[in-house]
Amino acid sequence: MKTPEAGAPAVAEPVPAGGEGVRHWDLEDLRALDFDPFLAAVLREEPVARIRLPYGEGTAWLVTRHDDVKSVASDSRFSRRALADRDVTSGSPHAIAARHASLNYTDPPRLTTMRRVVARAFTGAGMERLRPLAQRTADALLDEMERHGPPADLVRHLHGPFPLCVVGDLLGLPQEDRTRMVRWTDVIMAPAPDPARSQEGRRSVREVVGALLARRRAEPADDLAGVLAAAASDGEISNDEALSMATAILVSGAHAVRNNSANMVYALLTRPEQLARLRAEPGLLPRAVEELLRYIPHRNGVGLPRIATEDVEIGGVRIRAGEAVYCSYLAANRDPEVFPDPHTLDFDRPPVPHLSFGFGPHHCVGPMLARMESEVMLGTLLRRCPRLALAVPPEEIAWQRGALIRGPKSLPVSW
């Protein structure tokens, strides 16, 4: 018999309307892996709701049901390109991603061309080439952790350096440029009200990536930087687009995987029965990773919106041309119509596709890489650390505050 999960949302009273049915979403920091009670309430009470976020102008629609989210994300009548010059209510006081020459702010058919170029580095064969490099990196990092001795911070020893090493290998980033990238990716992905600091971070990362692309034009290679540099030289994409895509993949690959992989380990270490089952059934790991990806609320708030280019009806609600629409992939992953008992981590759940990597034309370009990294990290920990456990009570774990991507600041463990 299943029991309620610790990460399930608190039972929330109906969210007060902010005038004419507007719900105010304050994006408060949440405890550990608790699901946002605002999202739970909207999904339950008003699946297509008008909201106002802490920053920006006006209001927007928030879509939360699984099928409605897929409809908006794949409908060409909702545009990201139209967002580039708009000031929309937002969870951040400044843009995290560059607004021009960016995958995030581009629509098909240009988006299709840009994604086709990037996909050349994200093939199954490419991931198999990277897997042994990733495995050697994971083993080397855990060797160092063992020399340090318990207790040790798993974020410092594994979750922090590992994703940066892997995305560095994918991109072809020289070793000497990797260490300083950690600090700048954190600055870029923190929406604190300091646009100058964020811009400095983006500028510093783009300088490093720009130098790498210039080097690849002179010295071709089969890494992602080489693929992008060749496509820019051939006129398939612009130099600005190559730079924007490489920068985005480096930043998101280093930051998001670090936090989400640490979230996965925390989820397992606070559920001993699930951890024991994975040890006993190692072949279950890929399926467990998919369920962890569905279950973990990996971000605060919601990502970028889209702009309706004409009137569209979604979930029985008329969205007018020019209005902004947010899709909550987190809420869609907890839709009880699609995922029964959605707030329970269940490795026996039928294989219904989750939306943790998005959907439609803006679906994440690197899900195979993220899955491979998660499998390598979890599999290596299970194999090498049979007595892995938290070194402090769960309530003493410090979590990041004011960050777009949720995760523990540190994860003290013994083994």
Side-chain angles (χ1 to χ4, degrees), residues 236-374:
E236 194 173 4
I237 58 176
S238 70
N239 288 328
D240 283 347
E241 287 169 340
L243 179 58
S244 175
M245 287 190 283
T247 301
I249 290 167
L250 172 61
V251 171
S252 61
H255 188 84
V257 175
R258 180 192 72 183
N259 287 290
N260 214 30
S261 63
N263 288 334
M264 289 181 178
V265 173
Y266 174 86
L268 292 173
L269 292 180
T270 53
R271 294 163 179 79
E273 71 287 351
Q274 303 280 37
L275 183 61
R277 185 177 177 196
L278 273 183
R279 292 193 192 285
E281 303 176 49
L284 184 63
L285 183 58
R287 188 169 177 177
V289 165
E290 292 306 307
E291 172 65 355
L292 286 161
L293 286 167
R294 180 204 70 84
Y295 172 80
I296 290 170
H298 64 278
R299 65 166 298 131
N300 283 323
V302 72
L304 290 173
R306 295 164 174 81
I307 303 298
T309 58
E310 60 182 83
D311 289 4
V312 186
E313 184 171 306
I314 297 294
V317 175
R318 175 69 64 179
I319 295 172
R320 303 295 181 184
E323 293 183 324
V325 183
Y326 283 98
C327 293
S328 175
Y329 298 117
L330 297 186
N333 282 344
R334 300 290 183 106
D335 186 342
E337 296 299 316
V338 179
F339 304 102
D341 199 7
H343 302 302
T344 295
L345 184 67
D346 180 6
F347 294 159
D348 293 317
R349 190 177 297 281
V352 177
H354 59 74
L355 299 182
S356 297
F357 295 113
F359 192 78
H362 285 278
H363 182 273
C364 174
V365 297
M368 285 192 295
L369 180 65
R371 289 183 170 104
M372 182 271 285
E373 291 178 88
S374 299

Side-chain angles (χ1 to χ4, degrees), residues 164-292:
L164 184 60
C165 286
V166 174
V167 78
D169 288 339
L170 172 74
L171 191 61
L173 191 68
Q175 291 291 338
E176 61 269 20
D177 289 330
R178 298 186 185 190
T179 302
R180 56 186 172 142
M181 290 299 100
V182 175
R183 178 167 60 93
W184 288 124
T185 58
D186 287 350
V187 168
I188 293 168
M189 296 298 287
D194 188 355
R197 182 73 168 156
S198 181
Q199 289 170 7
E200 181 186 3
R202 286 203 301 269
R203 184 169 57 250
S204 297
V205 174
R206 285 170 69 89
E207 285 174 359
V208 170
V209 173
L212 174 60
L213 292 173
R215 193 177 311 131
R216 284 293 175 268
R217 283 191 284 272
E219 303 169 7
D222 61 356
D223 49 38
L224 177 58
V227 168
L228 293 172
S233 295
D234 292 343
E236 194 173 4
I237 58 176
S238 70
N239 288 328
D240 283 347
E241 287 169 340
L243 179 58
S244 175
M245 287 190 283
T247 301
I249 290 167
L250 172 61
V251 171
S252 61
H255 188 84
V257 175
R258 180 192 72 183
N259 287 290
N260 214 30
S261 63
N263 288 334
M264 289 181 178
V265 173
Y266 174 86
L268 292 173
L269 292 180
T270 53
R271 294 163 179 79
E273 71 287 351
Q274 303 280 37
L275 183 61
R277 185 177 177 196
L278 273 183
R279 292 193 192 285
E281 303 176 49
L284 184 63
L285 183 58
R287 188 169 177 177
V289 165
E290 292 306 307
E291 172 65 355
L292 286 161

